[in-house]
Amino acid sequence: MTRVRIDLNISLDGFASTADQSPENPMGEDWGRLTEAYVATRTFQSRVLGNTNGAGTTGVDDAYAVAYFEVVGAEIMGAGMYGLHAFPDDPEWKGWWGDEPPFGCPVYVLTSTAPRPSIPMQGGTTFHFRAAAIEDVLAEATDAAGGQDVRVGGGVSTAREFLRAGLVDQLHVAIAPILLGRGDRLWDDLRGLELTHKVTTEVAESGTTHVTFAR
Amino acid sequence: MTRVRIDLNISLDGFASTADQSPENPMGEDWGRLTEAYVATRTFQSRVLGNTNGAGTTGVDDAYAVAYFEVVGAEIMGAGMYGLHAFPDDPEWKGWWGDEPPFGCPVYVLTSTAPRPSIPMQGGTTFHFRAAAIEDVLAEATDAAGGQDVRVGGGVSTAREFLRAGLVDQLHVAIAPILLGRGDRLWDDLRGLELTHKVTTEVAESGTTHVTFAR
């Protein structure tokens, strides 16, 4: 059965991305520190960077990295994560991820601007652009996922929108033991999520704390 | 050697106390949920509630509770934690803790209002009121602690003030797996604390995550 999932890397003070994004540095300068333990895993090294020599960590962080890549059949993301805010006037913009994005499935980009044609990419990713209500986009993504999970990829405001609407079955956050003090807060206006979801917590060898809210 | 310590109970979204405090309910209605795992420990049950029948948890939470009560020779707290904001015009106000407060040492209350005489209480606690700079109050408290630790007890804004000034050797937070969505944020403006302090993290059986920043 399809579950709606969110996986995010945040700081101990709850920032999931930073305010200093730019076309040259799309994730901002703090992003590397937020994702350091994830990037170090053997799964990220092989799945994303193509290092097939066995490099990377194999502990708790890697177990979550393995789960991250499991059974996602469709992805939803906000316009900002895709880059529409950075390149609003470029109908040819194809996201930050190169010719073969790591999704390998249909990706639904939420936008309030004029619709643009879908963009098929190498490796199974196709970008679709939707101006509909999030419930309707989720229904379409769920259909496309064919029984696999739907991931709400981000950014933070999109994740919060789905969480507040009660549409998310599983939220996994990897909390880096750092204080950023700036950026976008994940936790705003989510009081009581622990009342509808069961919380589990696990600390990795890296010091990263993995917290999962699951329905 | 004296260390300057802070120990706080916060929610996963970083709230250390709530905005709904009142004379009738001085800690606010969320306080019970924030401190549930701590109150359940055998150490809290015996040290604070006087239950000497062995009741209470004995796991990770209790180990931190034991450490909480160790070697504190003086305490500093903000006017709000003491109750000066709730009872500004009552020179006889003696705090929320009854005739025998649980501190058992000199307690320095930071205030910007007119000085009032010190108040000796039963059990070794004496309340002193100081309008000086936090560095000067800390120097006096350190002297009074006689080689034991000085605790900055709270509230949140007082804790942040000492942290931002670089005066704190050890910050321990017990993070309850709940989202409060309201109250006072501990983490504001503390970017980079992990660069001056070593961070360790441990998850208790209760689901509480204990994070310690230590110099």
Side-chain angles (χ1 to χ4, degrees), chain B residues 4-24:
Chain B
V4 180
R5 296 171 49 181
I6 293 176
D7 297 85
L8 293 171
N9 296 280
I10 66 175
S11 62
L12 186 56
D13 50 349
F15 293 108
S17 67
T18 65
D20 58 347
Q21 300 174 339
S22 65
E24 294 71 32

Side-chain angles (χ1 to χ4, degrees), chain A residues 12-13 29-30 33 175 177-182 185 187-188 190-195 199 201-203 207 209 211 213, chain B residues 12-13 29-30 33 175 177-182 185 187-188 190-195 199 201-203 207 209 211 213:
Chain A
L12 186 56
D13 50 348
E29 67 179 72
D30 292 331
R33 299 182 62 215
I175 304 177
I178 62 176
L179 299 176
L180 289 181
R182 65 183 189 187
R185 295 183 192 280
W187 297 126
D188 280 5
L190 293 176
R191 178 180 173 85
L193 186 63
E194 75 279 1
L195 304 177
V199 190
T201 305
E202 194 172 6
V203 181
T209 305
V211 180
F213 290 78
Chain B
L12 186 56
D13 50 349
E29 67 179 72
D30 292 331
R33 299 180 64 216
I175 304 177
I178 62 176
L179 298 176
L180 289 181
R182 67 183 187 187
R185 296 184 193 279
W187 297 127
D188 280 5
L190 293 177
R191 177 178 173 86
L193 187 64
E194 75 279 0
L195 303 177
V199 189
T201 305
E202 193 172 7
V203 180
T209 305
V211 180
F213 291 77

